[in-house]
C-alpha cells in the first residue's frame, strides 16, 4: 500500500492548491538502505574495476559505495494493473563527490542492464557526470531464474538454446551470486510468470521495477541523514536508462506513474527522463512511441542508434513529432551502433564476423566504435538545461525514409537526415546496420573508404582534418557536442589511410 499525500497531516490551503492537478497522487513507501558488508572483492559494475565501466574516481575526488535497498513495492503487470505488493531486496551502487561543495544538486539513476549488470548510461556519460559534479546511482532490477527464462523465449527450441548458451551465465541474480555469493545472496524480487505477462508470453521484466525506481527517487530527494547521499542537498533526480531496461520507463510514463507517485509536497519524484538504444515494445507488449499519459513539466528524451531507427523503418513505425509542451524529443543519431565493444558488461562477449565464417566479407568485418558518448553527453547536458532553466533542447530532423527503407546519400553511402556527428558530416566510411548487411551480428558494421575514395573526396589528410574540425564546430552550435569534449575528438581516418 502506498501512503496517500491527502492524509490529514499534510492538509492545508497551500497543499490543496498544489494537489489540484494530482488528485490521486500518492507518496510511495520509503525504502531502507543498509551498507553492503566490506569485502575483498570490488562490487559488480564498479567503476574501480578494469573494464568498460572504469573511471578514475580519485582524479575527480569521487567515492563509490554499495548498499542494499529494501522495501515493499507493488508488482505491476505490463498492462499497468497492480496485482499485489511484496518485499524486495536489491542493491544500489553510488558514486558521489567526496566534497558536498562539488555536488551540483542532481542525481542520475540508472537500472543496470540485464546482460552483465552493466551501466550502459554510465559508460556513455561518465566523464561528463564526473566533470559536472553529478551524483550517480546504478541499481539492480533483476529476478531469480525461473524454470523458463522469459529473456530467452524464442520461435524455436534451437534458437532459445542458442540464446541461453550465449547469455545464460550473465543474467539474473544467479550471475551476481556466482560473481560474489556472500555479497549478493540476500537479493530477491517477486516474480510469477503465470500472472505477469507481456504480449503472448511471460514478462521478462521484474514486476516491481516501477515501484523500486520510484522508491529510490523518493529516498534520494528526501535528503535523509542516514541515506546513501547523506550530506548532499539533492534537488533533482534524472533517469538515464539505456538498452532493454528503457522499456521500464516507457511503461512508467505510459501508465501515469509520474503523476501518480509524488513527493510529500506533491512535487515530482523524477524531473527528467532520458532513454536510448531501445525500440519500445520489441520484447513484447504495446508498440508505442509516445506515452499515453505523457506528463507536463518533465522532459522525455529518447536516443536512437542506427539499429533502432532501422527497426522502426522496416516495421513502418513513425516517430511522433517533437514538442515543447509536453517536453518530448527523439534523436535518430546516425553513425552510432546499437552496441560497441566499449559497451560490453562484465563477462559479456559477442560473436565477431570471423566467428560465424564471415571474416572475409567487407560488409561484416569492420565494427564501428566511434565516440558516441560525446553526442550522448551533449544531449544529457541539453536535457539538464531544459529541466533546470527551461531552455528547450534542439529539434533534430528525422532520418529520411523511402517506404520501408532508409534514404542513403549516393555520394557517401550514409543515411540522410537525423543527428549528424562530425564523422558523418565528414565521413571516412559508410555506416551500415545488421538489418541491411545480414551479417548476423549484434554489432553493426561499416565499410571504410579506400585510399582512392578518400583522395577523391578530400585530396589530402590535411584537407580532411580541416573539414572535420569545421564539422565539430557545427555540432557544437547545434547542441550535439560539448566544447570541452570537442578538443579530444580526433578524425576517424588517419594519415596512413590516405
Amino acid at each position: 500500500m502506498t501512503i496517500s499525500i491527502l492524509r490529514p497531516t499534510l492538509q492545508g490551503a497551500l497543499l490543496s492548491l498544489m494537489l489540484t492537478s494530482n488528485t490521486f497522487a500518492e507518496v510511495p513507501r520509503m525504502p531502507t538502505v543498509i551498507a553492503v558488508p566490506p569485502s575483498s572483492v570490488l562490487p559488480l559494475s564498479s567503476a574501480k574495476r578494469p573494464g568498460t565501466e572504469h573511471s578514475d574516481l580519485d582524479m575527480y575526488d569521487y567515492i563509490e559505495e554499495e548498499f542494499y535497498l529494501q522495501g515493499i513495492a507493488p508488482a505491476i503487470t505490463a498492462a499497468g494493473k497492480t496485482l499485489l505488493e511484496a518485499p524486495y531486496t536489491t542493491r544500489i551502487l553510488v558514486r558521489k563527490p567526496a566534497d558536498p561543495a562539488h555536488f551540483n544538486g542532481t542525481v542520475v539513476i540508472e537500472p543496470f542492464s540485464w546482460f552483465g549488470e552493466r551501466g550502459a548510461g554510465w559508460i556513455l556519460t561518465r566523464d561528463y557526470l564526473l566533470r559536472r559534479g553529478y551524483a550517480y546511482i546504478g541499481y539492480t532490477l533483476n529476478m531469480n531464474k525461473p524454470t523458463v527464462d522469459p529473456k530467452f523465449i524464442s520461435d524455436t527450441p534451437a534458437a532459445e538454446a542458442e540464446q541461453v548458451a550465449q547469455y545464460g551465465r550473465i543474467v539474473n541474480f544467479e550471475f551476481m551470486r556466482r560473481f560474489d555469493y556472500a555479497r549478493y545472496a540476500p537479493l530477491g524480487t517477486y516474480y510469477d510468470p503465470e500472472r505477469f505477462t507481456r504480449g503472448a508470453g511471460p514478462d521478462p521484466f521484474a514486476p516491481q521495477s516501477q515501484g523500486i525506481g520510484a522508491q529510490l527517487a523518493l529516498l534520494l530527494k528526501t535528503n535523509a541523514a542516514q541515506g546513501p547521499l547523506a550530506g548532499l542537498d539533492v534537488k533533482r533526480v534524472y533517469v538515464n536508462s539505456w538498452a532493454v531496461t528503457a522499456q521500464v520507463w516507457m511503461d512508467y510514463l505510459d501508465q501515469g506513474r509520474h503523476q501518480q507517485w509524488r513527493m510529500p509536497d506533491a512535487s515530482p519524484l523524477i524531473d527528467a527522463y532520458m532513454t536510448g538504444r531501445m525500440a519500445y515494445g520489441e520484447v513484447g507488449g504495446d508498440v508505442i512511441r509516445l506515452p499515453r499519459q505523457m506528463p507536463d513539466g518533465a522532459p522525455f528524451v529518447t536516443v536512437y542508434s542506427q539499429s533502432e531507427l532501422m527497426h522502426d523503418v522496416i516495421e513502418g513505425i513513425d516517430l511522433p513529432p517533437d514538442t515543447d509542451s509536453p517536453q518530448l524529443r527523439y534523436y535518430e543519431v546516425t553513425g552510432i551502433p546499437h552496441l560497441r565493444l566499449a559497451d560490453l558488461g562484465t563477462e559479456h562477449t559477442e560473436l565477431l564476423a570471423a566467428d560465424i565464417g564471415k571474416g572475409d566479407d567487407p560488409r561484416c568485418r569492420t565494427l564501428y566504435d566511434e565516440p558516441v558518448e560525446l553526442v550522448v553527453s551533449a544531449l544529457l547536458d541539453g536535457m539538464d538545461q531544459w529541466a533546470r532553466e527551461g531552455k528547450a533542447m534542439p529539434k533534430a530532423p528525422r532520418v529520411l525514409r523511402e517506404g520501408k527503407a532508409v534514404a542513403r546519400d549516393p555520394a557517401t553511402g550514409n543515411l540522410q537526415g537525423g543527428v549528424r556527428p562530425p564523422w558523418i558530416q565528414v565521413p571516412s566510411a559508410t555506416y551500415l546496420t545488421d538489418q541491411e548487411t545480414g551479417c548476423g551480428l549484434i554489432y553493426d558494421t561499416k565499410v571504410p573508404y579506400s585510399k582512392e575514395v578518400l583522395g577523391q573526396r578530400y585530396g589530402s589528410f590535411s584537407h580532411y582534418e580541416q573539414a572535420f574540425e569545421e564539422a565539430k564546430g557545427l555540432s557544437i552550435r547545434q547542441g550535439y557536442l560539448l566544447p570541452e569534449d570537442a578538443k579530444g575528438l580526433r578524425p576517424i581516418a588517419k594519415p596512413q589511410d590516405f
Side-chain angles (χ1 to χ4, degrees):
M1 175 179 292
T2 50
I3 303 171
S4 171
I5 61 175
L6 297 177
R7 61 189 184 274
T9 56
L10 293 179
Q11 289 178 343
L14 176 60
L15 187 59
S16 296
L17 289 173
M18 296 173 69
L19 292 177
T20 300
S21 61
N22 295 291
T23 305
F24 302 105
E26 302 168 336
V27 178
R29 289 179 183 266
M30 181 67 74
T32 59
V33 288
I34 303 171
V36 172
S39 168
S40 61
V41 179
L42 288 169
L44 187 58
S45 320
S46 173
K48 296 182 178 182
R49 297 177 59 83
T52 58
E53 293 163 291
H54 177 266
S55 283
D56 188 346
L57 299 183
D58 293 337
M59 182 178 74
Y60 292 97
D61 195 25
Y62 267 64
I63 57 178
E64 181 180 82
E65 298 173 317
E66 190 179 35
F67 298 85
Y68 297 121
L69 182 75
Q70 298 178 320
I72 297 174
I76 301 172
T77 69
K81 183 178 180 180
T82 299
L83 296 188
L84 52 91
E85 292 197 333
Y88 70 87
T89 299
T90 187
R91 62 97 183 216
I92 62 175
L93 194 58
V94 177
R95 297 173 189 133
K96 62 183 180 179
D99 183 351
H102 294 161
F103 177 52
N104 71 2
T106 302
V107 187
V108 171
I109 65 173
E110 173 188 14
F112 291 121
S113 169
W114 285 346
F115 303 111
E117 277 282 295
R118 81 181 190 274
W122 168 257
I123 292 170
L124 291 168
T125 59
R126 57 191 158 187
D127 291 341
Y128 166 78
L129 297 177
L130 295 170
R131 289 196 311 258
R132 298 294 185 92
Y134 288 84
Y136 168 89
I137 295 186
Y139 64 101
T140 293
L141 289 180
N142 229 321
M143 64 181 72
N144 293 302
K145 180 182 178 298
T147 303
V148 177
D149 195 329
K151 297 179 181 68
F152 304 126
I153 293 177
S154 304
D155 294 334
T156 66
E160 183 173 326
E162 183 179 342
Q163 292 283 306
V164 171
Q166 176 73 16
Y167 303 112
R169 285 175 54 82
I170 60 169
V171 297
N172 301 322
F173 289 134
E174 283 76 9
F175 162 62
M176 302 179 71
R177 294 182 187 119
R178 181 170 57 81
F179 181 86
D180 189 333
Y181 180 83
R183 183 191 299 267
Y184 298 123
L187 304 189
T189 59
Y190 182 87
Y191 185 68
D192 182 347
E194 294 185 2
R195 301 176 72 183
F196 293 88
T197 59
R198 184 176 293 266
D203 194 342
F205 297 96
Q208 294 173 291
S209 295
Q210 294 186 43
I212 291 171
Q215 290 182 8
L216 174 60
L218 173 68
L219 173 70
L220 299 175
K221 273 196 167 179
T222 301
N223 289 312
Q226 303 303 317
L229 297 179
L232 303 185
D233 183 15
V234 176
K235 300 183 183 300
R236 293 166 296 275
V237 173
Y238 298 162
V239 165
N240 188 30
S241 184
W242 290 71
V244 70
T245 52
Q247 182 68 53
V248 170
W249 295 104
M250 170 57 86
D251 292 348
Y252 187 97
L253 292 173
D254 184 58
Q255 295 168 15
R257 309 301 174 195
H258 181 89
Q259 297 89 332
Q260 176 189 356
W261 290 334
R262 292 267 158 165
M263 296 295 294
D265 65 358
S267 62
L269 294 170
I270 297 168
D271 301 278
Y273 303 80
M274 175 174 282
T275 65
R277 287 177 168 167
M278 176 62 185
Y280 306 117
E282 192 172 6
V283 292
D286 293 345
V287 178
I288 59 174
R289 296 295 176 264
L290 178 67
R292 285 164 287 206
Q293 300 189 59
M294 179 73 184
D296 287 321
F300 177 45
V301 180
T302 299
V303 183
Y304 269 11
S305 74
Q306 288 199 172
S307 181
E308 292 81 50
L309 73 87
M310 186 63 68
H311 169 276
D312 278 12
V313 169
I314 293 171
E315 296 296 325
I317 302 170
D318 292 324
L319 293 181
D322 292 333
T323 58
D324 292 343
S325 182
Q327 293 168 265
L328 178 74
R329 290 290 186 274
Y330 268 88
Y331 294 100
E332 296 178 315
V333 185
T334 58
I336 75 169
H338 176 72
L339 190 71
R340 305 173 300 164
L341 291 170
D343 296 318
L344 297 179
T346 303
E347 298 186 21
H348 185 182
T349 60
E350 292 288 350
L351 298 176
L352 301 172
D355 300 322
I356 57 175
K358 294 189 176 182
D360 294 329
D361 188 332
R363 289 164 60 88
C364 301
R365 64 189 177 205
T366 306
L367 307 182
Y368 51 103
D369 207 15
E370 277 64 6
V372 303
E373 61 271 15
L374 305 186
V375 180
V376 176
S377 294
L379 292 174
L380 183 59
D381 186 66
M383 187 180 77
D384 172 58
Q385 293 183 55
W386 205 1
R388 284 190 303 107
E389 304 171 6
K391 180 183 177 182
M393 295 179 73
K395 295 179 181 180
R398 302 289 186 244
V399 167
L400 298 183
R401 303 185 181 194
E402 295 177 341
K404 292 191 175 182
V406 291
R408 288 189 172 271
D409 184 341
T412 67
N414 287 310
L415 304 183
Q416 301 182 68
V419 176
R420 307 181 68 74
W423 54 88
I424 292 294
Q425 296 179 52
V426 183
S428 58
T430 295
Y431 294 82
L432 304 170
T433 64
D434 196 71
Q435 294 102 317
E436 296 168 294
T437 62
C439 294
L441 303 174
I442 296 298
Y443 304 114
D444 295 309
T445 53
K446 66 180 181 181
V447 178
Y449 295 160
S450 66
K451 287 187 177 182
E452 291 73 20
V453 172
L454 287 171
Q456 291 169 3
R457 288 192 63 83
Y458 304 111
S460 66
F461 176 77
S462 61
H463 291 158
Y464 162 72
E465 185 178 37
Q466 179 59 40
F468 198 89
E469 287 297 312
E470 293 172 359
K472 286 162 55 176
L474 178 58
S475 289
I476 291 172
R477 294 191 296 275
Q478 292 175 332
Y480 305 132
L481 181 65
L482 296 173
E484 61 264 37
D485 285 332
K487 300 174 184 177
L489 176 56
R490 305 301 305 155
I492 305 304
K494 306 305 177 189
Q496 59 267 30
D497 296 322
F498 281 78

